[in-house]
């Protein structure tokens, strides 16, 4: 199975900050990475698919980049509703593994 | 938009089995790919397997190959996930999700999960 390793596992930031979350795959996965946001008590919700494509309705302050084994999710200017847990996922091959998550909270 | 409605919470004894259902409404059920993902509290999601109803073909993560069965009933547009031989570490929230495919660069298919059920908590305890 392909392992997805996220860093950091937790992150504290202020409203208005720019934050970056990274995800490293255990082997090359081209651009087959998705990013999800999860808030307590809710299912994950897709933000970005295929590394850099914004899902419909997702604000443009979210962006993604990368290729091969290294990927990033960037939030350009944090809003209060962005404090949540973020997961990367690879869909290069099954099982479609997820990272362990990055919990983003308010400083 | 596709709506996925899951069955209610379950409490099971170790060694028993559980069935979680996921009723899908909206769109064309038979052509969808429905996936099951579970999440132990405080951990990342874990992909268990998926089914394509039109083909009636399911595939599983190796970890669940021997204990899980995913089936689809096209007449009721419902997908089922059966898990046998329950253990305490199977305690988790189980989600169904629709796997969608995008073609952002025109030729390559990129799957992602864009519609999710609300989750079903399965608690395994003696």
């Amino acid at each position: 199975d392909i392992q997805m390793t996220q860093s950091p596992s937790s992150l504290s930031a202020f409203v208005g900050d720019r934050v970056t979350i990274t995800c490293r795959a255990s082997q090359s996965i081209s651009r087959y990475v998705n990013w999800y946001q999860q808030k307590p008590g809710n299912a994950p919700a897709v933000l970005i698919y295929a590394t850099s494509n914004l899902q419909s309705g997702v604000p443009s302050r979210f962006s993604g980049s990368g290729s091969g084994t290294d990927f990033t999710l960037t939030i350009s200017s944090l809003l209060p509703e962005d404090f949540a847990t973020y997961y990367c996922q690879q869909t290069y091959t099954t099982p479609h593994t997820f990272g362990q998550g990055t919990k983003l909270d308010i400083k | 938009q596709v709506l996925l409605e899951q069955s209610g919470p379950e409490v099971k004894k170790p060694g028993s089995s559980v069935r979680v259902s996921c009723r899908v409404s909206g769109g064309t059920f038979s052509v969808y790919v429905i996936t099951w993902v579970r999440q132990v509290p405080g951990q990342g999601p874990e992909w268990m397997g998926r089914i394509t109803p039109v083909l009636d073909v399911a595939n599983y993560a190796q970890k669940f190959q021997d204990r899980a069965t995913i089936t689809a009933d096209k007449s009721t547009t419902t997908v089922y996930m059966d898990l046998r031989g329950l253990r305490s570490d199977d305690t988790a929230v189980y989600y169904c999700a629709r796997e969608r495919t995008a073609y952002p660069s025109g030729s390559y298919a990129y799957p992602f999960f864009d519609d999710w059920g609300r989750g079903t908590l399965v608690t395994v305890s003696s």
Side-chain angles (χ1 to χ4, degrees), chain A residues 32 34 36 38 44 49 87 89 91, chain B residues 39 44 47 102 109 111 113 116:
Chain A
Y32 287 83
N34 308 314
Y36 297 83
Q38 188 176 31
Y49 61 91
Y87 296 98
Q89 179 203 28
T91 53
Chain B
Q39 188 171 29
W47 188 91
F113 304 162
W116 294 69

Side-chain angles (χ1 to χ4, degrees), chain A residues 39-75:
Chain A
K39 296 183 178 179
N42 290 341
V46 65
L47 299 171
I48 287 172
Y49 61 91
T51 295
S52 59
N53 295 271
L54 215 58
Q55 171 67 334
S56 176
V58 173
S60 60
R61 63 182 180 274
F62 292 92
S63 63
S65 65
S67 182
T69 60
D70 294 311
F71 302 87
T72 62
L73 171 70
T74 299
I75 310 172

Side-chain angles (χ1 to χ4, degrees), chain B residues 71-89:
Chain B
T71 55
D73 183 340
K74 291 189 280 292
S75 68
T76 60
T77 64
T78 302
V79 176
Y80 298 95
M81 191 283 297
D82 294 304
L83 190 61
R84 302 174 291 279
L86 290 170
R87 307 185 290 253
S88 58
D89 61 0

Side-chain angles (χ1 to χ4, degrees), chain A residues 11-21 61-63 73-83 86 104-107:
Chain A
L11 177 59
S12 294
F14 292 104
V15 171
D17 280 354
R18 178 186 180 92
V19 299
T20 297
I21 298 168
R61 63 182 180 274
F62 292 92
S63 63
L73 171 70
T74 299
I75 310 172
S76 60
S77 180
L78 281 170
L79 295 183
E81 59 262 36
D82 299 336
F83 292 95
Y86 294 85
L104 175 58
D105 60 24
I106 299 177
K107 186 180 284 185

Side-chain angles (χ1 to χ4, degrees), chain B residues 1-120:
Chain B
Q1 177 123 13
V2 177
L3 183 63
L4 293 87
E5 298 176 272
Q6 295 188 225
S7 49
E10 302 268 8
V11 179
K12 295 292 184 179
K13 300 285 189 190
S16 66
S17 299
V18 69
R19 165 169 278 199
V20 183
S21 66
C22 173
R23 182 174 173 274
V24 183
S25 57
T28 306
F29 173 77
S30 60
V31 303
Y32 292 152
V33 177
I34 303 296
T35 293
W36 287 92
V37 172
R38 77 176 187 181
Q39 188 171 29
V40 173
Q43 295 186 18
E46 181 176 30
W47 188 91
M48 299 180 67
R50 65 184 178 185
I51 190 166
T52 307
V54 68
L55 301 175
D56 212 14
V57 170
N59 62 296
Y60 303 91
Q62 187 158 9
K63 176 178 179 177
F64 299 103
Q65 185 76 42
D66 295 333
R67 293 200 297 136
T69 301
I70 299 172
T71 55
D73 183 340
K74 291 189 280 292
S75 68
T76 60
T77 64
T78 302
V79 176
Y80 298 95
M81 191 283 297
D82 294 304
L83 190 61
R84 302 174 291 279
L86 290 170
R87 307 185 290 253
S88 58
D89 61 0
D90 291 318
T91 295
V93 177
Y94 290 75
Y95 294 101
C96 58
R98 181 176 74 112
E99 179 183 305
R100 185 177 161 187
T101 301
Y103 299 85
S105 54
S107 51
Y108 292 99
Y110 291 86
F112 63 99
F113 304 162
D114 72 339
D115 293 297
W116 294 69
R118 295 173 65 106
T120 297

